[in-house]
Amino acid sequence: MSIFERFTEGWKKYRKPGYYREFDYHWAMTIDLDKCTGCEACVTACKAENNLPIVGEEEFAKGREVQWIRIERYWEGEYPNVKLGFIPMLCQHCDAAPCETVCPVSATYHNQDGLNTQIYNRCIGTRSCAVYCPFEVRYFNFNDHHWDSPLDQQLNPDVTVREKGVMEKCTFCIQRIRQAKDDAKDDGRRRVRDGEVQPACVQSCPSNALVFGDRKDPDSQVAKSMKDPRAYRVLEELNTDPSVVYLKKVDAKG
Amino acid sequence: MNVSIVPALKVLRPAAVVGAVAFFGLFVGYWANALLVPGTSPEQPIAFSHKVHAGDNDIPCMYCHTQARRSISAGVPSVSKCMGCHIEVATEKPQIRKLTSYWDNKEPIPWIKVHDLPDFVHFTHKRHISAGIECQTCHGPVETMERITVTSRAIDGSFQLGTPWEMGLCLNCHKQNEVDNGTDCWTCHK
């Protein structure tokens, strides 16, 4: 098979509308804003699991922090009738992701599990994906980060420590998905069971506001949760088809 | 009119000095590299021969590398594994005496890792062994080696001693055996 034929075959497979219905899995997440208390346990868990650096005060002021999941605050109303709202924001793993089409070296792509993934080795750091991302969830490593001893002992060996000049983003804890698939193969099962794999943020959520699972399985908890009448997706008008679904917060005023 | 080459040479003198230093530095660098960076076949603290163990005496790989079929890494056997046999076998040989001294001092043997993958690569021994891949497919004819040498495999299947592994080795095999999602980047990268 020539390179051209392989290219057109790959293009047919992944660049047609509805291509994601052929995924092996379609990982998705729902976030119940009614249950979310904004405690930022997910943020801490993500930092620990995925070797995210603590950039320090100076770099933070320059907007160079790295948080794959963050709690965004916003204020509603005029003083004194102000109300604080917040929303956990992570990579939405869009099926029609704007960041993928713009990468000049195809370092970000959609894999067979419906994940929007980033290959650090291939990334050349043009940062165009961060510009195209409407959710602002891609983070660039402006510096080489180091962990003083004994903090380097807590680095996760299943995740690379990203170097300077590389873009990074939420992976839905792909190392855990890989481990779950591995265990499923050992047991002789073809597929991962529902609830067997949880990203760090979902695992750490004290109020179970975050639910993760395979959207293609109609019996999974996440598929049921997505049918909730409160379900909506952030910036839906951009038609990026995100895999993260939010359940609206309903208060007394409605 | 008298034309002299001497002023031109005077101008070129600094460049010539820089060139000579660079030429000399090339040799120094090569020598330092060979001396300091472990090669493809480093000298181990004990001259352990895979030829004697796995070749002549036909001990299976996984008798010593027990973790290979159970975990990500194949693992290096503990000193007690060696002493299991060598408390009786060939105790008078100088290399075994060295081994016994490690055992008596309760110290691990500082083996030098030969086959090493970069930190951004995810490779499980367990998965490959349960799929029925021979150890020799990647590690080369270990049972004939006195001292372990990095061995790679060309597309035609021939072993190339001293050549480190590259991504093509993994991809070729994944393509030939039609592994599920075998060419997806995140299958091997992390």
Side-chain angles (χ1 to χ4, degrees):
Chain A
M1 196 189 284
S2 71
I3 293 173
F4 180 72
E5 279 170 336
R6 240 184 303 167
F7 177 78
T8 45
E9 199 169 275
W11 187 270
K12 273 181 206 158
K13 193 174 170 193
Y14 290 118
R15 290 282 175 232
K16 67 179 182 199
Y19 66 96
Y20 41 82
R21 288 185 198 104
E22 292 160 27
F23 287 154
D24 303 348
Y25 298 90
H26 198 162
W27 301 111
M29 189 188 278
T30 58
I31 300 175
D32 193 338
L33 296 177
D34 234 352
K35 285 183 186 169
C36 178
T37 59
C39 68
E40 303 216 15
C42 47
V43 180
T44 315
C46 181
K47 284 228 170 201
E49 170 76 19
N50 291 306
N51 300 342
L52 297 191
I54 310 291
V55 291
E57 208 174 324
E58 213 172 283
E59 294 290 299
F60 193 93
K62 290 179 192 166
R64 295 179 176 183
E65 83 276 20
V66 179
Q67 290 181 322
W68 287 3
I69 181 169
R70 62 173 191 263
I71 307 287
E72 264 189 13
R73 286 188 306 175
Y74 52 91
W75 304 91
E76 278 175 28
E78 286 292 314
Y79 183 81
N81 300 317
V82 283
K83 205 176 84 179
L84 169 67
F86 47 82
I87 180 169
M89 184 52 77
L90 69 160
C91 174
Q92 307 285 313
H93 291 270
C94 316
D95 287 328
C99 56
E100 286 168 15
T101 49
V102 77
C103 184
V105 291
S106 300
T108 177
Y109 71 107
H110 235 70
N111 82 345
Q112 73 285 339
D113 287 358
L115 296 176
N116 174 277
T117 51
Q118 173 83 20
I119 320 156
Y120 310 121
N121 305 72
R122 195 180 273 182
C123 178
I124 56 170
T126 63
R127 289 188 271 159
S128 16
C129 50
V131 176
Y132 272 62
C133 178
F135 306 101
E136 307 260 316
V137 286
R138 288 181 156 268
Y139 298 94
F140 188 68
N141 286 290
F142 284 93
N143 298 305
D144 267 326
H145 306 290
H146 72 280
W147 283 261
D148 297 328
S149 183
L151 282 176
D152 56 345
Q153 299 290 322
Q154 59 94 43
L155 291 176
N156 188 351
D158 292 334
V159 182
T160 328
V161 174
R162 278 80 53 187
E163 57 184 6
K164 182 178 177 177
V166 163
M167 190 60 75
E168 62 182 60
K169 61 178 278 297
C170 164
T171 60
F172 268 170
C173 286
I174 197 166
Q175 68 277 10
R176 294 185 177 205
I177 296 173
R178 189 155 50 195
Q179 184 64 43
K181 281 185 188 170
D182 214 39
D183 292 344
K185 264 188 190 170
D186 283 346
D187 291 357
R189 279 180 283 128
R190 216 180 64 76
R191 290 183 73 83
V192 175
R193 270 197 296 257
D194 185 36
E196 204 171 8
V197 47
Q198 277 186 326
C201 51
V202 177
Q203 190 186 16
S204 66
C205 185
S207 59
N208 293 331
L210 279 66
V211 175
F212 180 80
D214 181 14
R215 197 161 122 189
K216 291 195 87 177
D217 177 10
D219 298 326
S220 70
Q221 210 189 338
V222 72
K224 285 173 187 163
S225 174
M226 279 167 112
K227 284 175 194 151
D228 195 292
R230 293 183 291 136
Y232 75 100
R233 293 188 284 188
V234 182
L235 301 182
E236 202 159 11
E237 67 275 15
L238 295 178
N239 208 14
T240 59
D241 211 356
S243 292
V244 178
V245 171
Y246 291 86
L247 305 185
K248 195 181 183 323
K249 184 173 187 169
V250 182
D251 51 19
K253 286 172 190 167
Chain B
M1 205 174 114
N2 210 358
V3 178
S4 171
I5 198 171
V6 177
L9 282 178
K10 272 183 182 163
V11 172
L12 283 175
R13 189 183 286 163
V17 169
V18 168
V21 168
F23 191 68
F24 181 68
L26 201 71
F27 286 100
V28 172
Y30 181 80
W31 170 76
N33 185 45
L35 195 74
L36 299 175
V37 179
T40 52
S41 182
E43 198 173 335
Q44 302 285 357
I46 294 177
F48 177 85
S49 165
H50 274 86
K51 185 173 178 292
V52 171
H53 290 83
D56 301 346
N57 290 314
D58 230 356
I59 302 172
C61 306
M62 273 177 273
Y63 180 79
C64 298
H65 299 283
T66 46
Q67 295 307 313
R69 62 177 177 273
R70 301 194 185 106
S71 77
I72 282 179
S73 65
V76 174
S78 58
V79 183
S80 67
K81 195 81 176 180
C82 307
M83 287 308 285
C85 295
H86 281 297
I87 206 151
E88 291 288 337
V89 179
T91 47
E92 288 310 305
K93 287 188 179 171
Q95 295 298 326
I96 307 301
R97 282 202 181 144
K98 226 191 240 180
L99 169 71
T100 323
S101 74
Y102 279 114
W103 173 251
D104 291 340
N105 297 336
K106 293 187 172 21
E107 279 173 4
I109 306 167
W111 298 111
I112 298 162
K113 196 174 184 184
V114 180
H115 289 98
D116 199 9
L117 282 171
D119 285 348
F120 49 77
V121 178
H122 167 86
F123 175 86
T124 57
H125 276 91
K126 180 174 78 172
R127 207 63 294 131
H128 289 83
I129 286 168
S130 63
I133 309 284
E134 291 286 322
C135 305
Q136 283 86 346
T137 310
C138 302
H139 291 284
V142 170
E143 70 278 0
T144 62
M145 291 179 192
E146 280 290 345
R147 197 204 283 176
I148 286 290
T149 306
V150 174
T151 309
S152 189
R153 206 164 212 212
I155 296 172
D156 61 357
S158 63
F159 292 116
Q160 294 177 318
L161 290 174
T163 317
W165 292 326
E166 282 178 1
M167 201 170 100
L169 184 77
C170 308
L171 276 178
N172 273 335
C173 197
H174 276 196
K175 273 180 194 163
Q176 277 166 17
N177 294 318
E178 292 176 356
V179 180
D180 274 357
N181 306 321
T183 52
D184 179 45
C185 307
W186 274 89
T187 302
C188 303
H189 282 283
K190 64 183 185 187

